[in-house]
Amino acid sequence: MLAAFEGWNDACQAATDVVHHLISAYESREVRHIRCDGYYDYQVARPMSCHVQGRRRILWPQTTFYDIAVTPDTHILAQIAPEPNYRWLEYCRQSLHIAEEFEVDRVITLGAMFADCPHTRPLPLDVSDGACQCDMDREYNGPVGIPTVLDAKARENGYDATSIWVSIPQYLGSDQCAQATLRMLEALSGCLGVALDAGDLPKKAERWAAQASVLVRCNDELADYVRRLERDYDLEAKAREVASLGAPQAEQLVREAEQYLRDFGSS
């Protein structure tokens, strides 16, 4: 089961866009819903008015589950919804009951957050299966959203559970970020052992990076800020590389990092 939630956990709609992309790229059908009653504050997640065949309808926030056939042998039960406001534990229990109904053997939650990272480097990705954390080797302490709670409840109920989070440069605002969606789709491919169809996401990601570069070139203060982020990013990458090597190689990398800092300071 793949779960993504609109709102606090979904910077630039990058996480829910993974589900939307899969729905459009593969044969999919709606299979279940969780009614909104008791889970939402309608002053926060407001109902929407729309006209269908000349008649006005009110659309209430709800959870939808899709059966997505990515291969004849691999199906994803995709859960997408606005983040609930109330009764999270009951909501997770209901979600996992549906997972059990469809004989799900693994739960994967998606999330995206704004962070101090440069758009000129691969967007930081955190893939955690509970036993290990990859790429962003740091522990988080602080507020959590419904993906984290669903992930924890899935583990408690005996499911293999994985969380995939991507970081997005906070200086670029809240427009859609195809690069972040693509990063999570690639990580999801690795988790499933299936090469998922990226469609036009690579081209959209290139346009996003090009637009970001234009914005930075037009703002000297922002350009300086991005250069500092690049320096910090590169130093963290060097530090992780040093930590994984033996003493002689580590010393050489330390000298390279020191030279990098001298060159950066004189530029």
Side-chain angles (χ1 to χ4, degrees), residues 119-120 172 179 202-218:
H119 72 278
T120 53
L172 293 179
Q179 181 62 60
K203 290 183 178 179
K204 289 182 177 179
E206 289 177 4
R207 288 199 296 271
W208 173 83
Q211 291 167 354
S213 294
V214 169
L215 176 65
V216 170
R217 284 199 299 269
C218 295

Side-chain angles (χ1 to χ4, degrees), residues 44-57:
V44 177
R46 289 187 178 275
M48 301 292 291
S49 174
C50 70
H51 285 78
V52 179
Q53 297 181 337
R55 300 183 63 181
R56 187 166 73 92
R57 294 185 57 191

Side-chain angles (χ1 to χ4, degrees), residues 31-42:
V31 291
R32 290 291 184 276
H33 298 91
I34 294 178
R35 290 175 56 86
C36 56
D37 298 345
Y39 291 125
Y40 291 101
D41 177 347
Y42 296 136

Side-chain angles (χ1 to χ4, degrees), residues 2-80:
L2 180 69
F5 299 90
E6 302 166 7
W8 187 74
N9 319 274
D10 192 26
C12 294
Q13 302 82 56
T16 49
D17 276 351
V18 173
V19 175
H20 290 309
H21 171 79
L22 292 172
I23 290 170
S24 64
Y26 295 97
E27 180 181 348
S28 60
R29 59 191 180 94
E30 292 187 26
V31 291
R32 290 291 184 276
H33 298 91
I34 294 178
R35 290 175 56 86
C36 56
D37 298 345
Y39 291 125
Y40 291 101
D41 177 347
Y42 296 136
Q43 290 183 323
V44 177
R46 289 187 178 275
M48 301 292 291
S49 174
C50 70
H51 285 78
V52 179
Q53 297 181 337
R55 300 183 63 181
R56 187 166 73 92
R57 294 185 57 191
I58 301 296
L59 299 181
W60 298 87
Q62 70 171 355
T63 301
T64 304
F65 291 82
Y66 294 86
D67 178 5
I68 304 174
V70 296
T71 73
D73 299 323
T74 303
H75 284 239
I76 294 174
L77 179 67
Q79 176 182 10
I80 188 168

